[in-house]
Amino acid sequence: LKCPVIFICRNNGYAISTSVKDQYHGDGVVSRAPGYGMAGIRVDGNDIFAVHAAVREAREYALENSAPVLIEAMSYRQGHHSTSDDSLRYRSVEEVEHFAHESDPLDRLQAFLKRHDYEGMTDDTFRAAADEEKMSVLDAMRKAERKPKPSLEELFEDVYHEMPASLKAQQQQLRTHIAKYPNQY
């Protein structure tokens, strides 16, 4: 695995509805990096400056060593996993409120900017910037959703210079499956 790739795992404390404490033993995800021949670093995923520094260093390492790097960004999922998830079935309101109060990344950034008197940053200017960015993201999502869907054949392209036999077999299995169930695709 000698290629300059950065893998980012946002560890939000849960695997859908199961706490990571019940998912695996050991010290998070980053401790597994050496077993895959990768360098690894854990970072406070709610600290924009720490994440930026970790990615910058990982990029430098990956390029200099032509080797992959795993970044485990420790975070917390304040909302539900999906629209069909009720996260209050497996965690308390107090837990969610604690993390929302103690480590919300936008609140932390705003406090930093205010503390360092960053060019007149006020609650109103910060809120306006956050709203503007939210609208930009929503606009980009709407544009992306209007694009035509890629063909399923594209699943098999641009990975290998020459497609290995195992992947050719998977491609044929997919074609057979689609031919059997054409109304589903």
Side-chain angles (χ1 to χ4, degrees):
L1 196 67
K2 285 297 200 180
C3 54
V5 178
I6 299 172
F7 296 96
I8 299 179
C9 170
R10 187 184 74 183
N11 187 341
N12 64 28
Y14 287 89
I16 304 178
S17 61
T18 305
S19 169
V20 294
K21 293 174 186 152
D22 297 325
Q23 280 289 320
Y24 52 77
H25 291 285
D27 187 20
V29 175
V30 75
S31 62
R32 287 146 173 81
Y36 291 98
M38 290 191 261
I41 184 171
R42 176 178 290 140
V43 65
D44 179 349
N46 291 332
D47 181 335
I48 189 172
F49 302 112
V51 171
H52 181 268
V55 171
R56 183 184 61 238
E57 294 298 317
R59 179 183 184 275
E60 184 177 318
Y61 178 91
L63 291 173
E64 285 180 6
N65 297 283
S66 190
V69 179
L70 171 65
I71 299 173
E72 181 179 20
M74 303 305 289
S75 187
Y76 186 80
R77 175 170 45 86
Q78 293 183 31
H80 305 295
H81 176 73
S82 66
T83 55
S84 63
D85 177 42
D86 177 8
S87 65
L88 298 180
R89 291 180 317 165
Y90 51 88
R91 60 186 186 171
S92 68
V93 171
E94 294 78 22
E95 177 186 326
V96 176
E97 288 176 353
H98 167 77
F99 280 99
H101 179 71
E102 295 298 320
S103 64
D104 182 275
L106 289 178
D107 289 347
R108 289 173 65 180
L109 176 60
Q110 184 176 10
F112 175 88
L113 294 173
K114 286 169 70 175
R115 186 170 44 253
H116 294 281
D117 197 28
Y118 187 79
E119 297 181 21
M121 182 61 68
T122 65
D123 289 343
D124 289 338
T125 57
F126 190 87
R127 194 174 306 107
D131 289 345
E132 183 179 330
E133 289 304 313
K134 180 179 181 180
M135 295 309 296
S136 294
V137 168
L138 291 173
D139 185 50
M141 287 174 58
R142 281 189 288 271
K143 287 179 183 173
E145 288 170 348
R146 286 193 299 263
K147 289 187 174 192
K149 303 272 188 270
S151 71
L152 289 175
E153 291 294 321
E154 289 185 41
L155 284 171
F156 302 95
E157 298 172 357
D158 299 325
V159 176
Y160 297 98
H161 180 67
E162 291 184 33
M163 192 183 308
S166 61
L167 195 55
K168 287 179 184 177
Q170 288 179 27
Q171 185 179 38
Q172 185 54 49
Q173 288 172 345
L174 178 62
R175 287 181 183 140
T176 302
H177 179 80
I178 290 172
K180 186 175 180 178
Y181 304 101
N183 294 334
Q184 303 300 317
Y185 297 95

